[in-house]
Amino acid sequence: MLVLSRRAGESIVIGNDVVITILEVRGGQIRVGVDAPRNLAVHRAEIYEQVLAENRAAAASTDLQASILSTKATGLRLQDPTRSAE
Amino acid sequence: MEQQILEFDDGIPGFPDARRFQLVELVDDGAFQLLQSVDDPDLAIVVAVPWLFFSDYAPELTDVDQDGLGIESEEDAVVFCAVTLESDRRTAHMNLLGPFVVNVKSRKGRQIVLTDQDYPIRALLPLGVS
């Protein structure tokens, strides 16, 4: 890993179109600004990791999940007011 | 929307190479669909429209996501969320933190991560029947 020291107001450029700026350093917290192209998703790592783990769980044993949920769905339709009104 | 190819140009977290999906009905007129990878037959995720279960769900897309998907109004967007069944096979959860959003006109989709909106990644699904 490349390690750089930066002060508040200083930036790092990644490639040609990603700029990361240290906005504020206070106590144990650092505020970071990210300028990136709109097709590039920027996430807090811990939240991204949660979504990734949940996707993997959702994709595991899908056939079983699908068969059980579709069975439940029969009763579900009766409970759902938006559908029973149709 | 079934039979149509949905293009997730960035893949989805955990499956970066899965770019093309189809939305397949599990049963006729049922609550759940399958987000099925076109390229990898082993990859599929059960999904449902979140408002069937959580009527006050109001995900806000950032400008970046709206522009990236080319969504100009609410009517352009279709939203569905991943459903996971627990190992007890009785309880299920819905991922409200990371909804799948598809532009119905362009068929471009993304899994959006809703930052700072306090939606749970595992919201208990009120299935009620077993």
Side-chain angles (χ1 to χ4, degrees):
Chain A
M1 184 193 288
L2 172 67
V3 179
L4 303 167
S5 293
R6 300 275 70 191
R7 295 175 190 282
E10 294 181 337
S11 299
I12 295 166
V13 180
I14 300 174
N16 291 317
D17 43 19
V18 178
V19 180
I20 294 172
T21 305
I22 307 304
L23 298 173
E24 187 184 14
V25 182
R26 185 188 291 170
Q29 223 173 30
I30 297 168
R31 279 162 46 84
V32 177
V34 180
D35 255 322
R38 302 210 143 196
N39 62 351
L40 215 58
V42 178
H43 302 294
R44 289 181 173 87
E46 69 276 15
I47 294 180
Y48 181 86
E49 295 294 331
Q50 274 184 30
V51 173
L52 185 152
E54 194 64 13
N55 278 349
R56 292 216 170 119
S61 57
T62 306
D63 290 346
L64 178 67
Q65 298 196 42
S67 66
I68 294 171
L69 284 167
S70 58
T71 311
K72 285 179 182 285
T74 314
L76 181 75
R77 278 206 304 280
L78 299 173
Q79 290 195 322
D80 177 28
T82 59
R83 292 233 175 170
S84 58
E86 281 170 10
Chain B
M1 281 214 311
E2 58 270 41
Q3 313 306 327
Q4 304 273 1
I5 303 278
L6 309 178
E7 293 180 20
F8 285 66
D9 291 340
D10 306 321
I12 61 175
F15 304 96
D17 298 327
R19 306 283 168 89
R20 301 190 301 154
F21 290 90
Q22 281 181 312
L23 210 51
V24 182
E25 293 289 339
L26 280 183
V27 291
D28 285 347
D29 198 30
F32 300 100
Q33 292 85 37
L34 210 54
L35 186 64
Q36 171 69 56
S37 165
V38 174
D39 305 302
D40 178 359
D42 291 333
L43 173 58
I45 292 175
V46 179
V47 296
V49 173
W51 292 285
L52 278 177
F53 305 93
F54 304 98
S55 56
D56 56 352
Y57 184 55
E60 274 184 41
L61 265 60
T62 61
D63 292 348
V64 172
D65 287 324
Q66 274 187 37
D67 286 2
L69 286 168
I71 288 174
E72 289 166 2
S73 68
E74 265 184 50
E75 293 79 54
D76 291 346
V78 166
V79 178
F80 40 91
C81 295
V83 175
T84 46
L85 193 67
E86 296 308 300
S87 51
D88 66 5
R89 299 184 187 183
R90 288 175 184 277
T91 48
H93 292 92
M94 178 173 271
N95 179 354
L96 296 181
L97 176 70
F100 299 100
V101 180
V102 172
N103 179 332
V104 290
K105 292 176 183 159
S106 66
R107 311 276 167 195
K108 295 275 184 197
R110 273 188 186 185
Q111 188 172 23
I112 307 289
V113 178
L114 299 173
T115 306
D116 300 326
Q117 293 180 48
D118 283 340
Y119 283 115
I121 194 157
R122 305 178 89 226
L124 186 65
L125 267 199
L127 285 177
V129 284
S130 57

